[in-house]
Amino acid sequence: MNRTVEMIIDGKPIELPTVVGSEGEVGVDISSLRNKTGCITLDPGYGNTGACESAITFIDGETGILRYRGYDIAELAEKSTFIETAYLLIYGNLPTRPQLVEFSDVLTENQMLHEGMRFHFENFPPSAHPMAILSAMINAASSYHPNLITKREECFPFHAARLISQVRTIAAFSYRKAQGLPTIYPKSSLKYTANFLHMMFSPHPGEDCELKPEIVKALDLIFLLHADHEQNCSTSTVRMVASSRANLFASASAGVCALWGPLHGGANQAVLEMLEEIHQDGDDGTKFLNQVKNKSTHRRLMGFGHRVYKNFDPRAVILKQQCDKVLSQLHKSDPLLDIAKKLEDVALHDDYFISRKLYPNVDFYSGIIMRAIGIPLDMFTVMFAIGRMPGWIANYKEVMADSDSRIARPRQIYTGATQRAYTPLEARS
Ligand code: CMC
């Protein structure tokens, strides 16, 4: 039987039920608290608030565990692919061979954008950040599919596949547009990640780029490692928007906006900018770390720290190894990797970082790999968005399938002025 928790408010005890997850996590169910006592709970940043029950991803931040649908991230990284993992996240199990073939076929069938969408790209200024284009175009795509709303459930598999497939096409088109390069259409014979690289880097329609298997593999791994991460800022945003019964594309577009910020997915771009700055400065990282530790500078070691991981981020461990592997496969060296390793080494032995349990997160090493494989800096967060799409879709599906789901509507503690009389303009000083 689940435990109950007793709370005493104004001397009166109230009993609250608990919910225990499959990995033993305990949540105190406070949903009756306001009705019973008039009080609400206050948790800015939601560090102690479980907003939902979810069966998709499990994280134990104390021991550095990340599992998608029960599978350890390191095992998936070694044995799976992004598309197989996307299926796993959305449908709950690894696909059988026929299921995988069918899923891949639907992705391929839906890879083309509606031709009308191409004209939208023309109206963005060349300086537009690709994340702005991505969120706008995903939302715009919803207007081409009215059955996103009218046939929400029966068409879900097609809309999910369309979104996973088209986010990649939109991303590549926005890059080509920003570079003033001709658009390269997707090629049905190519698999997901290879097809994306083809659309990004083929010199002209009709002249294909060389697709090095090690580059395709490295980017596929980056997508896979980003595919879900339970109730992070962007996924919570997707769930929040979905809770109003907004359509899948609108919810995912909101997720892109939330992801863009430098404290979330935008950190991968910010890490590279930081490493570049340290390099340009001729610093080995020591001066920069001193600035970070001096709170008056308001600087952060980007790519370090995490709300949930307080030991290590398993994705960062995999990506660090992958950095060395990719650079050696491509016979490249990168002074920024040396700086990153030095920063990590110093930070992990420095009391400022140790006492706050700050470790490298997924964004610390991913940018060095993306740079090595030729992804431009302002596309880094777009890569995160492509990778995270299956996780957003899985979470959207979970919200829609939950018959008890209510619109997400937090409360607040009001701290503004109490009631006052309106002052006419002439009487205001
Ligand atoms: N550099 C220096 N100090 C830091 C950092 C950092 N990267 N992260 C946290 N701190 C300090 C912070 O100043 C605070 O110190 P004090 O207790 O003295 O006031 C303490 O550590 C706790 O920080 P917090 O901001 O309360 O922690 P949070 O859980 O709210 O924030 C975070 C988590 C990821 C936003 C934060 O660690 C951060 O800003 N990191 C840098 C940005 C980054 O790498 N983001 C990517 C996160 S992982 C992928 C993703 O989610 O997209």
Side-chain angles (χ1 to χ4, degrees):
M1 208 175 73
N2 281 357
R3 282 189 269 164
T4 54
V5 167
E6 192 177 81
M7 227 180 175
I8 299 179
I9 297 189
D10 295 335
K12 276 202 252 153
I14 6 151
E15 211 165 78
L16 295 168
T18 61
V19 178
V20 182
S22 51
E23 292 283 352
E25 290 162 304
V26 180
V28 180
D29 178 353
I30 54 102
S31 53
S32 62
L33 186 66
R34 190 168 180 278
N35 275 349
K36 285 183 178 162
T37 68
C39 295
I40 60 168
T41 54
L42 182 64
D43 182 20
Y46 307 133
N48 288 282
T49 296
C52 60
E53 290 177 47
S54 176
I56 304 168
T57 288
F58 172 69
I59 302 176
D60 180 343
E62 309 305 324
T63 53
I65 289 174
L66 167 61
R67 294 187 203 126
Y68 298 161
R69 300 280 189 187
Y71 295 99
D72 191 77
I73 192 67
E75 194 174 9
L76 289 170
E78 189 194 331
K79 300 177 182 166
S80 188
T81 63
F82 173 59
I83 287 309
E84 188 182 68
T85 298
Y87 185 99
L88 168 71
L89 285 166
I90 298 170
Y91 297 108
N93 286 304
L94 286 167
T96 60
R97 194 174 290 281
Q99 285 169 334
L100 185 58
V101 169
E102 190 190 340
F103 187 54
S104 303
D105 286 349
V106 185
L107 289 174
T108 304
E109 282 157 22
N110 286 285
Q111 64 191 352
M112 300 293 280
L113 303 182
H114 188 287
E115 195 57 18
M117 293 262 297
R118 276 217 314 129
F119 301 104
H120 294 273
F121 285 98
E122 302 308 320
N123 295 318
F124 290 102
S127 59
H129 194 286
M131 285 295 275
I133 302 180
L134 191 68
S135 71
M137 293 303 282
I138 289 174
N139 205 12
S142 64
S143 59
Y144 291 88
H145 308 293
N147 64 4
L148 266 172
I149 299 162
T150 54
K151 294 188 177 167
R152 193 193 298 270
E153 271 175 43
E154 58 192 284
C155 291
F156 174 82
F158 296 99
H159 293 313
R162 182 169 283 140
L163 193 47
I164 292 174
S165 198
Q166 292 190 356
V167 66
R168 160 194 66 162
T169 313
I170 294 172
F173 278 23
S174 64
Y175 166 70
R176 304 285 299 196
K177 154 87 181 103
Q179 299 295 308
L181 294 167
T183 305
I184 306 286
Y185 283 92
K187 212 174 179 182
S188 301
S189 58
L190 293 174
K191 292 203 162 142
Y192 189 89
T193 303
N195 208 350
F196 172 69
L197 288 164
H198 158 73
M199 287 189 274
M200 285 281 288
F201 298 124
S202 288
H204 310 285
E207 190 187 343
D208 294 352
C209 65
E210 187 199 350
L211 292 166
K212 290 193 176 151
E214 57 272 25
I215 290 187
V216 177
K217 178 110 193 55
L219 188 58
D220 199 76
L221 176 69
I222 287 181
F223 290 154
L224 184 154
L225 292 175
H226 287 84
D228 195 40
H229 212 234
E230 53 120 299
Q231 304 313 313
N232 56 84
C233 177
S234 56
T235 303
S236 300
T237 301
V238 170
R239 287 187 84 114
M240 165 90 64
V241 177
S243 79
S244 77
R245 299 295 179 265
N247 73 64
L248 175 64
F249 282 49
S251 305
S253 162
V256 172
C257 294
L259 185 73
W260 192 359
L263 296 190
H264 191 11
N268 57 14
Q269 178 173 341
V271 168
L272 251 280
E273 286 164 351
M274 171 188 81
L275 295 174
E276 279 283 10
E277 182 193 323
I278 294 171
H279 184 52
Q280 298 297 329
D281 214 20
D283 178 18
D284 65 351
T286 317
K287 190 173 124 199
F288 182 81
L289 284 178
N290 285 333
Q291 285 175 10
V292 169
K293 291 192 285 177
N294 174 0
K295 291 281 190 150
S296 68
T297 65
H298 300 292
R299 299 213 71 171
R300 285 198 165 193
L301 178 54
M302 301 310 286
F304 252 68
H306 199 277
R307 173 63 61 80
V308 181
Y309 293 119
K310 299 298 169 197
N311 188 325
F312 65 92
D313 178 338
R315 302 166 301 173
V317 176
I318 298 168
L319 285 168
K320 184 180 179 184
Q321 290 162 357
Q322 191 65 16
C323 262
D324 287 322
K325 191 171 164 192
V326 169
L327 288 175
S328 103
Q329 281 171 334
L330 298 178
H331 308 292
K332 283 186 177 176
S333 64
D334 189 341
L336 301 195
L337 177 59
D338 301 333
I339 293 174
K341 284 184 174 170
K342 172 83 194 279
L343 284 173
E344 178 184 351
D345 188 45
V346 174
L348 293 184
H349 294 92
D350 187 301
D351 189 54
Y352 175 96
F353 297 92
I354 295 170
S355 62
R356 290 171 178 79
K357 299 187 174 168
L358 301 172
Y359 297 88
N361 60 48
V362 69
D363 295 313
F364 197 64
Y365 287 108
S366 64
I368 294 172
I369 302 175
M370 289 195 265
R371 179 169 132 117
I373 63 184
I375 305 288
L377 185 61
D378 64 358
M379 289 290 285
F380 283 11
T381 313
V382 172
M383 299 304 106
F384 196 147
I386 295 174
R388 185 55 53 89
M389 195 55 77
W392 290 337
I393 293 171
N395 276 272
Y396 178 92
K397 182 167 175 261
E398 204 171 60
V399 172
M400 291 299 161
D402 179 2
S403 52
D404 294 332
S405 158
R406 304 169 75 199
I407 188 163
R409 203 305 186 183
R411 290 193 174 255
Q412 62 166 15
I413 299 291
Y414 175 68
T415 58
T418 52
Q419 187 175 10
R420 47 186 170 162
Y422 180 81
T423 316
L425 184 56
E426 340 43 279
R428 288 176 217 158
S429 50

